[in-house]
Every structure is written in C-alpha cells, then in structure tokens.
Amino acid sequence: MKLRSVAPMRIAKYGYIVMSIAFCVIGLLLVLFPEVSTAVIYRVLGIALLCFGVIKLIGYFSRDLFRLAFQFDLEFGILLLALGLLVLVRPVGAMSFLCIALGIAILADGLFKLRIAADARTFGVRPWWLLFTLAILTAVVGLLLIFRPRESAVFLTALLGVSLLTEGILNLCVVISTVKIIRHQQPDVIDAETCDEE
C-alpha cells in the first residue's frame, strides 16, 4: 500500500509554530508600544491573518494522526482569510471594528480549543489541562476584546496585543502537544474486499 506523504503535515505543523510565534511577537509589541499607528496595525495583522488562514487550510487537509489540532481549521482558515482580506482592502476604519472582529474569532477559537483539550484528554495527551486552561483564558480575553471595557485607542491596542499573545501561546501549545508526524502513515482507505465479506 502506498504511504501517505507527510509533507502537508510538516508544512502545517511548522507553519502553525511560526505563525503562533509571530502572533506572540506582534501581541507583545502591541502591549509594549500601544501608541503605534493604526495603519501599521492593520497592515501587519492583515498579512498575518492571511498567512495563518492558508496554514490552517493546509492543516485541515493534512489529515494528521490524532486529528485534534486541525479539526476546526477549514472554517477558521476561511474566516481568517476573509478577515485578513477585509483588513487589508479596507484599512481605514475604527479600531473598534478590528477589535470586535478579532475578538469574535479569538473567542470562538478559544471555545473550540476547549473541545480539543477534552479530546486530547481522551487520547491521553498529558498537557490537556494546560490546553484547557489556556483555551479558557483566550476565550475570556477574546470576550473582553469584543466588549471593550474602555474605549481609548491605547487601551484597545494593548488589549488587542494581549489577545494576540494568548491566542499565539494557545495555538503553539496545541500544535506542539497534539500534532504527531508519523513517517510511515498509511492513507485512510477502507478495504473494499473486507466490506464485501461483511
């Protein structure tokens, strides 16, 4: 039987790691320098969202061994591509729009990662509790980003930075602990002869 190529899984795993680190760095910079220009934020985030959207789609179609980290990435990949395009095409807009849009995406990702953490526990993945804790933290920060307790631009930028930082850490932990690349992985095929015998 022909073995399945692990190249898409490698691209997805290492792409996930790179983009998660990029989100952490962008988030940290926004926390440390919240007075940065809104145009710069839109441009950098738009490109990052597009890149991560592509990586998520590759991950979804890579069919990794546990099928945990990438199970919701078809929808999230499309969402991030649409959001990235929107941010790049219409960069002139209120910071509150960006916060609401990203807040919804981050909240949803945190909630879905709760399911991944529960599934990871079933699979015997040891740091499932860490994934669960980070997912709750990320969802709460996403919720804060949506409702914006204060409207000042500096506060919103810093809160956006915290959201990106928690999202990056969560994704990094999920991909490192749940994506296993097996070099001799066989394709998912149901043997037709076995089905006929039954």
Side-chain angles (χ1 to χ4, degrees):
M1 182 180 286
K2 186 179 178 183
L3 298 178
R4 181 192 302 157
S5 170
V6 296
M9 282 179 269
R10 286 191 194 284
I11 292 169
K13 181 173 184 174
Y14 296 118
Y16 236 84
I17 291 170
V18 168
M19 290 310 303
S20 297
I21 292 171
F23 272 51
C24 289
V25 170
I26 294 168
L28 199 56
L29 288 174
L30 290 178
V31 170
L32 295 175
F33 307 104
E35 61 282 337
V36 70
S37 161
T38 305
V40 171
I41 294 172
Y42 268 77
R43 197 170 302 120
V44 170
L45 274 181
I47 293 169
L49 290 170
L50 284 176
C51 292
F52 208 15
V54 170
I55 293 297
K56 280 182 173 284
L57 290 177
I58 292 171
Y60 179 79
F61 291 108
S62 71
R63 304 181 67 80
D64 67 299
L65 182 63
F66 290 160
R67 311 262 163 68
L68 288 176
F70 307 133
Q71 63 181 313
F72 304 111
D73 279 0
L74 176 63
E75 297 84 358
F76 275 100
I78 293 169
L79 176 65
L80 291 182
L81 285 173
L83 194 54
L85 280 173
L86 186 63
V87 168
L88 286 175
V89 171
R90 298 182 60 91
V92 180
M95 184 69 168
S96 59
F97 163 75
L98 183 61
C99 288
I100 291 170
L102 277 177
I104 291 170
I106 289 170
L107 171 63
D109 195 36
L111 293 175
F112 280 113
K113 290 291 195 303
L114 287 173
R115 172 63 186 269
I116 290 172
D119 290 344
R121 182 181 183 188
T122 305
F123 273 90
V125 176
R126 283 188 195 153
W128 69 267
W129 59 270
L130 178 61
L131 303 180
F132 190 82
T133 305
L134 287 170
I136 290 174
L137 177 64
T138 301
V140 168
V141 174
L143 201 60
L144 282 174
L145 197 58
I146 295 168
F147 290 106
R148 303 174 316 278
R150 286 171 47 196
E151 291 290 338
S152 78
V154 171
F155 176 79
L156 287 180
T157 303
L159 186 58
L160 180 61
V162 171
S163 301
L164 292 173
L165 185 58
T166 57
E167 176 74 4
I169 292 169
L170 174 62
N171 281 314
L172 192 59
C173 289
V174 166
V175 78
I176 287 173
S177 61
T178 64
V179 178
K180 305 297 179 201
I181 298 174
I182 308 286
R183 289 193 318 182
H184 304 293
Q185 191 173 352
Q186 295 184 357
D188 297 331
V189 175
I190 298 172
D191 191 346
E193 292 179 6
T194 306
C195 291
D196 290 340
E197 289 173 6
E198 293 176 359

